[in-house]
Amino acid sequence: MSPTIIITIISLSLLALVSAVILYFVAQKFKVIEDPRIDQIQEVLPAANCGGCGFAGCRNFAEELVKSESFEGLNCPVGGSDVMGAAAKILGREAPVVDPLVAVLLCNGTPEFRPRTSKYNGAADCRISNSLFAGETDCSYGCMGLGDCVRACAFDAMYMDSVTELPVIIDDKCVACGACVKACPRNLIELRKKAKKDRKIYVACSNCDKGGPARRACKVACTACTKCFKVCEFGAITIENNLAYIDAKKCTFCRKCVTECPTNSIIELNFPPRKVKAEAQGEAVNG
Ligand code: SF4
Ligand code: SF4
């Protein structure tokens, strides 16, 4: 081997050695010591990386939990109380009480109730359609039926019903991650407090037009007649922007508003059938 090659090999080896030593010291000086609890918390999180917590992924959420002083405003909707309790245990904190939520659709404008008055032939995308025109019906607030919400759901908790042309939420699968809420350009999906036996009462309408035009566009539109507001003894109903809203936290499920609503825009779900008045009276007489 020629002396030039030997010198080159030795010089390069020395250079590599010096670089390695420098890199080692630089790495030591600037190394970030990560809190080991981040890994522990990440392990108890569901690894859905759905963003339902408001962070880019489960790791970011774990970092935030460790960094934060309390769990105020922090929640993993997919894991719910169990997961938040496990994270709290790792951090030696009080486990937060989290009300489970479920998505509901604030529109009941099926073709039967809300006739189609025009035809949309553009891209099958609610956001695009919404930016171009008011929709195929005379209600510019209602569901466009193009399924952005369904595509956004990573938990297969939604599907489009071909008859009603509305998305359907499967309660048992919905983890309240909120992806559908963000996806809907018309803000038609709300996360509501989950009640026993999946019971729900809510105004399935988002039409803010005055009564007449709202009703002409859809037979089950809320006309803000205030009848439900007046009948509710628990102050659970408010009327704003020509629209009634039922506060799930105040509603006691008495169902008086449902029968009072002249347009059937209040939906009750998962209740046993109502007793017919005569039958109920008969029962009272017979004891
Ligand atoms: S229905 Fe909506 S909130 Fe429920 S899991 Fe699917 S995207 Fe999330
Ligand atoms: S609820 Fe919203 S996102 Fe879903 S199909 Fe209707 S308009 Fe589209």
Side-chain angles (χ1 to χ4, degrees), residues 103 149 152-155 157-158 169 173-181 189 191:
C149 50
C153 180
F155 299 91
M158 298 183 96
I169 295 143
K173 289 188 173 182
C174 175
V175 298
C177 71
C180 55
V181 178
I189 303 177
L191 296 178

Side-chain angles (χ1 to χ4, degrees), residues 42-59:
Q42 193 181 355
E43 256 171 48
V44 301
L45 293 177
N49 288 311
C50 61
C53 55
F55 294 86
C58 297
R59 177 88 189 166

